[in-house]
């Protein structure tokens, strides 16, 4: 027995990982309230970290601490990564929503002439920006967190700081500017794809003439304004949230996977929360008038 | 009761790793497969349990061919041929005790409590019963190796394959693992050990195959290996960096 | 450009084929009788379901709230306040609820699953199972697929409920439609089929997410970097899979 103890003290086992849950130790009934409490506390800390990173990034953006080449490279990365993805997902969403709306309207009124008009209005101020941003949160957010996260665990970020380079202006700022500029571009592209597939679905399945379906007359300046503001807000939120998740990576190579997951979830939730906020604000500022 | 390799060839892409390996492992011996890193030692034993398939050549266990089978046909074989991996490969999601109990539950249809009791006995054999409720991440690599050995022995295999059992262990843990391998001989278990740990080689090996350029360069007892007047073998066992040996990648 | 499109097509075909093969293996593992490791199933049900409940509920609340305000715009334009509950419920139950919850589930659970199986693959734990003569498909994949299908279904039920609550709340506060009007409009215009339509979808989304994430997990190559890449690819492929499945199911079920 004493030999076993000797061996144990010779190479003392590493401390248990903080994230290792032990479901058997805590009574199952106690868990949900504990989870909510822990989530609230953790959420507050994360929110503070994200806010300070956002402020820091803005400050550096005003001081122009970024190379144009780096921004252009990130813009290419973002576009290259997500063009196909955004096209496929938004295309299918438009197919389905046109189908569902027409199906229901057929039962109620049978008048499908206004479907395109209303859906295009909805797409401009809501669907195109928010769904594109949801997809970017998945694609680009995960990518940013994985890149920065693996730089953190391989101590490349520490090496940057040792050589006097500020990680925020070197890593976060180019991605921030690139995402800010690319989100509206991709949203417009997504709008085009969705319009195309929606028009096709209306024509093929319900015989709505494309010349009736494609009708921009209901789109007001306020719709376009809300859409653009949403694009910029989402474009700012995604890189900051996922960059924060990447920079706070810990726990070796497995930590990078965890950071990627957190980035996707947090960036998506941020997009949803901002979308609710901006939608309500838009509703209050430009109250819809009767048609 | 032998393992035979006949003219085994295996390539990974452009890398021709095994080039006509031929050797025979006899019942009850501690057989070492040695050589420099990347020479195909681990690749060789992974062929035995069907984790890899040869490009050409034959592998016979007890006279029956064991290459080119379907995955399910390997299961009876793998119960007779246990394998201890280099990094122990304990399952992260199970405690030490449940790691050892898993094969018992799966193959002997034991109930959870019975399997745990049996697993405790196995852990006692490798002096790890005090750590039964720990998670694998909380153990040192030496302790993990001992648990892995206990887990492999639960199925009472006739052959146990060890992939670099002492690599990455401190000298004390390494010698304890060596003792465990040697003790298996008393249970009529044949051990095939892949290693480049010179201390293990010259303390517990019965016979040794030195792999060089994809072939068994020399096979013999430790004494024969020491006495061999082959410059390549002498360079390996004296650990000199200069010599006639060609080491790809360096 | 054409070469890139070709690469994409070849890549997509290979992944879809791999996922299809995995599905066949899962089905085969259910023969001759469907049995699976109860502990592994229970562990996965717990960590996939209970652990993602807060995120799913938050998502559901947001989506219900956004939908009600969006519907509010049309309701005001056409002066049809009595239709608010119907419009919100219809879009929540049939489309937005199941899709958004599935997307978040894929981001949380699917990516975790890929990372876990990927780590097991590169640390040879899968080979470890095979060397112990335990079928990794039956032991690891079948419980995960089952757990994800069950849990996504259950979470969608909860999520639909919370989304409607969020919708009713914001309908009262922002749009100014009384909750009693909202409930009346919801219950009198929507049938069980609208709810079932979405829940059936959620089961299939669970299947798609689980097979995709397991496939990318067990086919990881290239060490720790490979795990990161697989997680990324798995989330993206799951999202595309969800959209395509949704389209097919919508056309099939009407």
């Amino acid at each position: 027995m004493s030999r076993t103890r000797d061996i144990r003290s010779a190479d003392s086992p590493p401390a248990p990982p903080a994230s290792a849950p032990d479901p058997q130790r805590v009574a199952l009934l106690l868990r949900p309230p504990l989870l909510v409490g822990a989530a609230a506390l953790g959420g507050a800390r994360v929110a503070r970290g994200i806010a300070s990173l956002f402020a820091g990034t803005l400050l550096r953006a005003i001081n122009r601490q970024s190379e144009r080449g780096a921004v252009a490279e990130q813009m290419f990365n973002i576009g290259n990564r997500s063009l196909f993805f955004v096209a496929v997902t938004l295309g299918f969403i438009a197919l389905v929503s046109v189908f569902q709306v027409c199906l229901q309207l057929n039962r109620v009124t049978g008048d499908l002439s206004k479907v395109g008009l209303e859906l295009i209005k909805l797409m401009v101020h809501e669907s195109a920006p928010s769904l594109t941003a949801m997809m970017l949160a998945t694609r680009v957010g995960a990518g940013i967190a994985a890149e920065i996260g693996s730089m953190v665990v391989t101590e490349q970020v520490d090496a940057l700081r040792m050589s006097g380079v500020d990680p925020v202006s070197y890593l976060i700022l180019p991605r921030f500017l690139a995402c800010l500029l690319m989100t509206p571009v991709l949203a417009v592209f997504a709008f085009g794809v969705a319009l195309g597939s929606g028009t096709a679905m209306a024509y093929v399945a319900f015989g709505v003439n494309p010349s009736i379906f494609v009708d921009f007359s209901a789109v007001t300046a306020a719709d376009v304004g809300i859409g653009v503001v949403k694009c910029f807000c989402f474009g700012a939120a995604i890189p900051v949230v996922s960059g924060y998740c990447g920079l706070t990576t810990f726990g070796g190579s497995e930590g990078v996977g965890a950071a990627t997951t957190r980035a996707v979830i947090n960036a998506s939730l941020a997009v949803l929360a901002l979308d609710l906020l901006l939608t309500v604000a838009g509703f209050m500022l430009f109250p819809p008038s009767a048609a | 009761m032998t393992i035979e390799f006949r003219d085994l060839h295996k390539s990974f892409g452009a890398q021709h790793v095994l080039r006509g390996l031929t050797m025979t492992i006899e019942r009850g011996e501690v057989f070492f497969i040695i050589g420099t890193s990347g020479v195909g030692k681990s690749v060789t034993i992974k062929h035995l349990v069907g984790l890899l398939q040869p490009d050409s050549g034959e592998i016979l266990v007890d006279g029956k061919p064991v290459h080119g089978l379907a995955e399910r046909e390997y299961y009876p074989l793998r119960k007779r041929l246990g394998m201890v991996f280099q990094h122990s490969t304990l399952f992260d999601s199970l405690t030490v005790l449940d790691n050892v109990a898993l094969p018992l539950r799966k193959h002997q249809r034991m109930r959870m409590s019975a399997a745990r009791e049996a697993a405790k006995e196995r852990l006692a054999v490798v002096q790890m019963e005090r750590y039964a409720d720990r998670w694998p991440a909380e153990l040192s690599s030496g302790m993990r190796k001992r648990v892995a050995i206990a887990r492999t022995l639960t199925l009472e295999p006739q052959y146990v394959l060890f992939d670099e059992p002492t690599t990455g262990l401190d000298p004390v843990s390494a010698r304890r693992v060596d003792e465990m391998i040697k003790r298996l001989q008393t249970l009529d278990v044949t051990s095939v050990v892949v290693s480049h740990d010179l201390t293990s080689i010259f303390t517990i090996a019965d016979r040794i195959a030195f792999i060089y350029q994809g072939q068994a360069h020399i096979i013999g007892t430790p004494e024969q290996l020491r006495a061999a007047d082959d410059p390549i073998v002498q360079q390996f066992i004296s650990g000199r960096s200069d010599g006639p040996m060609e080491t790809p990648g360096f | 450009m054409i070469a890139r499109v070709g690469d994409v097509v070849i890549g997509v075909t290979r992944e879809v084929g791999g996922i299809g093969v995995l599905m066949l293996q899962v089905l085969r593992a259910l023969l001759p009788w469907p049995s699976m490791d109860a502990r592994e199933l229970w562990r996965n049900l717990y960590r996939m379901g209970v652990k993602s409940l807060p995120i799913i509920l938050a998502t559901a609340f947001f989506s219900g709230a956004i939908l009600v305000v969006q519907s509010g715009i049309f309701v005001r334009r056409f002066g049809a306040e009595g239709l608010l509950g119907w419009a919100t419920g219809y879009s929540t139950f049939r489309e937005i609820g199941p899709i958004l919850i599935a997307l978040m589930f894929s981001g949380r659970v699917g990516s975790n699953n890929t990372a876990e199986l990927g780590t097991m693959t590169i640390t040879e734990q899968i080979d470890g199972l095979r060397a112990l003569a335990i079928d990794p498909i039956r032991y690891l994949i079948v419980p995960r697929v089952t757990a994800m299908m069950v849990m996504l279904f259950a979470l969608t039920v909860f999520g639909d409920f919370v989304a409607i609550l969020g919708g009713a709340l914001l309908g009262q506060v922002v749009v100014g439609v009384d909750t009693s009007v909202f409930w009346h409009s919801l219950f009198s215009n929507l049938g069980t089929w609208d709810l079932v339509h979405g829940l059936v979808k959620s089961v299939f989304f669970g299947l798609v997410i689980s097979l995709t994430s397991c496939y990318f997990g067990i086919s990881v190559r290239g060490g720790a970097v490979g795990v990161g890449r697989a997680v990324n690819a798995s989330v993206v492929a799951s999202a595309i899979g969800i959209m395509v499945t949704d389209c097919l199911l919508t056309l099939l079920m009407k």
Side-chain angles (χ1 to χ4, degrees):
Chain A
M1 285 310 278
S2 66
R3 271 188 79 181
T4 326
R5 202 174 304 130
D6 286 345
I7 282 192
R8 192 187 162 197
S9 57
D11 46 11
S12 62
S19 60
D22 189 356
Q24 286 142 347
R25 300 267 158 87
V26 185
L28 263 173
L29 277 176
L30 266 176
R31 294 228 91 185
L34 282 180
L35 270 178
V36 172
L41 279 178
R45 203 181 56 236
V46 170
R48 205 165 55 228
I50 289 172
S52 77
L53 181 61
F54 180 61
T57 312
L58 272 189
L59 206 69
R60 287 167 178 85
I62 294 163
N63 293 333
R64 301 200 183 167
Q65 291 177 2
S66 182
E67 296 160 36
R68 282 214 188 125
V71 177
E73 191 191 325
Q74 290 301 330
M75 285 175 72
F76 176 76
N77 269 344
I78 291 170
N80 193 28
R81 271 180 193 160
S82 34
L83 211 56
F84 173 72
F85 182 49
V86 167
V88 171
T89 46
L90 269 286
F92 276 103
I93 288 181
L95 283 185
V96 172
S97 34
V98 167
F99 185 84
Q100 294 277 33
V101 169
C102 289
L103 194 69
Q104 190 71 1
L105 276 186
N106 252 347
R107 280 180 199 146
V108 182
T109 60
D111 174 19
L112 300 180
S113 60
K114 287 265 167 60
V115 170
L117 183 84
E118 295 299 336
L119 275 185
I120 286 170
K121 183 180 167 74
L122 180 70
M123 279 206 288
V124 168
H125 72 82
E126 167 63 24
S127 314
S130 66
L131 290 174
T132 307
M134 282 293 284
M135 294 304 133
L136 289 183
T138 299
R139 188 80 183 101
V140 177
I144 290 176
E147 273 168 21
I148 297 182
S150 46
M151 291 186 75
V152 169
V153 296
T154 56
E155 299 184 315
Q156 292 178 54
V157 173
D158 289 339
L160 275 181
R161 289 158 73 181
M162 289 306 290
S163 49
V165 179
D166 173 29
V168 175
S169 41
Y170 184 77
L171 294 175
I172 307 286
L173 188 55
R175 289 171 172 80
F176 174 77
L177 294 175
C179 203
L180 199 63
L181 295 172
M182 281 307 279
T183 308
V185 174
L186 284 166
V188 170
F189 167 73
F191 175 77
V193 173
L195 185 63
S197 72
T199 311
M201 172 58 94
Y203 180 67
V204 172
F206 299 93
V208 180
N209 196 313
S211 62
I212 296 173
F213 190 88
V214 183
D215 185 347
F216 288 91
S217 60
V219 179
T220 61
D223 291 330
V224 177
I226 293 173
V228 170
V229 169
K230 279 182 179 175
C231 279
F232 280 120
C233 288
F234 301 152
I238 292 167
V240 171
V241 171
S242 48
Y244 172 81
C245 294
L247 283 177
T248 51
T249 303
F250 62 93
S253 54
E254 283 159 51
V256 181
T260 313
T261 305
R262 270 188 296 141
V264 172
I265 291 300
N266 289 345
S268 306
L269 277 181
V271 168
L272 283 175
L274 279 175
D275 189 31
L276 177 59
L277 218 69
L278 293 170
T279 302
V280 171
F283 189 85
M284 301 288 190
L285 286 175
F286 309 101
S289 50
Chain B
M1 295 290 280
T2 55
I3 297 174
E4 271 184 87
F5 293 93
R6 287 186 192 158
D7 196 27
L8 202 64
H9 284 265
K10 177 73 180 177
S11 303
F12 294 98
Q15 247 183 317
H16 201 164
V17 178
L18 297 182
R19 308 175 194 175
L21 179 72
T22 302
M23 61 186 183
T24 306
I25 299 164
E26 302 291 343
R27 175 180 180 173
E29 66 182 349
V30 177
F31 188 89
F32 267 62
I33 300 173
I34 66 172
T36 49
S37 301
V39 81
K41 304 182 301 269
S42 307
V43 169
T44 307
I45 58 169
K46 281 186 182 170
H47 277 90
L48 267 179
V49 285
L51 294 177
L52 291 172
Q53 291 292 344
D55 295 339
S56 67
E58 290 189 309
I59 309 161
L60 306 176
V61 174
D62 303 341
K64 288 195 203 97
V66 296
H67 48 85
L69 306 181
E71 175 78 10
R72 276 171 194 234
E73 295 174 295
Y74 278 108
Y75 289 157
L77 180 75
R78 287 174 188 162
K79 291 177 197 170
R80 294 198 291 128
L81 271 116
M83 178 154 176
V84 178
F85 286 82
Q86 182 178 353
H87 300 289
S88 301
T89 65
L90 299 184
F91 305 121
D92 296 327
S93 55
L94 303 176
T95 62
V96 165
L97 188 65
D98 289 343
N99 257 288
V100 180
L102 182 69
L104 293 170
R105 278 167 53 218
K106 287 289 151 187
H107 295 306
Q108 308 192 350
R109 303 240 157 251
M110 278 194 188
R111 299 190 65 87
M112 194 67 197
S113 51
R116 280 193 168 148
E117 279 309 308
K120 252 189 192 131
E121 288 169 24
R122 311 291 171 140
L123 280 176
V125 174
V126 296
Q127 287 145 11
M128 286 295 295
E129 72 275 24
R130 301 195 316 152
Y131 303 99
D133 294 328
R134 297 280 193 99
W135 297 94
E138 300 168 36
L139 302 182
S140 70
S141 45
M143 295 157 122
R144 261 184 278 182
K145 187 73 73 183
R146 276 144 64 189
V147 176
I149 293 173
R151 188 179 68 182
T152 306
L153 293 181
T154 51
L155 294 176
E156 296 174 356
Q158 292 158 317
Y159 303 90
V160 181
L161 316 176
F162 292 91
D163 191 358
E164 309 211 0
T166 56
T167 303
L169 300 191
D170 62 271
V172 179
S173 303
R175 296 294 79 78
R176 289 171 62 90
V177 169
D178 281 350
E179 280 166 30
M180 251 170 235
I181 296 172
K182 194 68 185 167
R183 228 187 304 146
L184 290 181
Q185 254 178 334
T186 60
L187 304 168
D188 195 25
V189 170
T190 310
S191 299
V192 182
V193 186
V194 162
S195 181
H196 45 226
D197 182 338
L198 291 171
T199 319
S200 310
I201 293 167
F202 289 114
T203 40
I204 61 166
D206 291 325
R207 285 199 310 142
I208 299 164
F210 178 74
I211 311 282
Y212 181 61
Q213 295 189 332
Q215 297 187 341
H217 192 69
I218 188 170
I219 301 177
T221 62
E223 291 71 34
Q224 286 170 332
L225 206 71
R226 269 214 181 95
D229 58 351
D230 186 314
I232 294 171
V233 174
Q234 287 308 321
Q235 187 196 341
F236 182 82
I237 59 179
S238 61
R240 278 181 288 118
S241 63
D242 56 325
M245 185 186 277
E246 286 172 30
T247 47
F250 285 97
Chain C
M1 183 66 202
I2 292 170
R4 247 203 94 201
V5 172
D7 282 349
V8 169
V9 170
I10 291 169
V12 168
T13 317
R14 193 181 52 227
E15 309 297 15
V16 169
I19 292 167
V21 169
L22 183 63
M23 182 154 97
L24 291 181
Q25 287 175 322
V26 167
L27 288 176
R28 225 187 110 194
L30 291 172
L31 298 172
W33 64 86
S35 70
M36 67 186 88
D37 193 277
R39 271 170 53 89
E40 191 67 10
L41 177 67
W42 186 247
R43 191 176 78 88
N44 280 305
L45 282 174
Y46 173 78
R47 78 190 174 116
M48 287 171 177
V50 180
K51 294 248 163 162
S52 33
L53 195 61
I55 284 161
I56 296 296
L57 294 188
T59 307
F61 178 83
F62 283 132
S63 59
I66 292 167
L67 268 175
V68 85
V69 181
Q70 293 297 350
S71 315
I73 294 173
F74 294 102
V75 165
R76 282 269 181 89
R77 273 160 58 83
F78 297 108
E81 253 122 43
L83 289 180
L84 185 67
W86 162 72
T88 309
Y90 184 74
S91 36
T92 302
F93 289 153
R94 281 189 164 234
E95 290 299 332
I96 309 293
I99 285 194
L100 276 183
I101 289 169
L103 282 178
M104 294 305 262
F105 189 78
S106 151
R108 173 94 172 73
V109 175
S111 66
N112 248 336
N113 187 43
T114 306
E116 193 196 36
L117 288 178
T119 308
M120 288 186 80
T121 305
I122 59 165
T123 57
E124 295 189 308
Q125 289 179 48
I126 307 270
D127 277 352
L129 277 175
R130 290 169 67 198
L132 289 169
I134 296 170
D135 181 2
I137 302 284
R138 187 184 277 239
Y139 180 71
L140 289 177
I141 311 292
V142 173
R144 280 171 168 72
V145 172
T146 315
M148 283 200 220
M149 288 170 75
V150 169
M151 273 307 169
L152 187 54
F153 175 83
L155 288 170
T156 308
V157 172
F158 281 120
D160 278 349
F161 183 67
V162 171
I164 289 300
L165 279 186
L169 181 70
L170 264 86
Q172 166 101 48
V173 176
V174 178
V175 189
V177 172
D178 198 71
T179 37
S180 61
V181 177
F182 185 90
W183 291 128
H184 179 76
S185 153
L186 182 78
F187 287 120
S188 56
N189 288 309
L190 288 182
T192 336
W193 176 239
D194 293 303
L195 188 63
V196 173
H197 180 103
L199 293 178
V200 169
K201 280 180 177 175
S202 74
V203 174
F204 280 93
F205 294 162
L207 180 69
V208 168
I209 295 170
S210 60
L211 287 176
T212 310
S213 62
C214 288
Y215 167 76
F216 280 97
I218 57 175
S219 49
V220 165
R221 296 285 174 274
V225 187
V227 177
R229 227 178 300 135
V231 170
N232 213 327
S234 150
V235 177
V236 168
S238 293
I240 293 179
I242 289 168
M243 299 304 171
V244 175
T245 314
D246 182 51
C247 190
L248 292 177
L249 288 175
T250 303
L251 292 177
L252 275 177
M253 297 195 295
K254 298 226 165 163

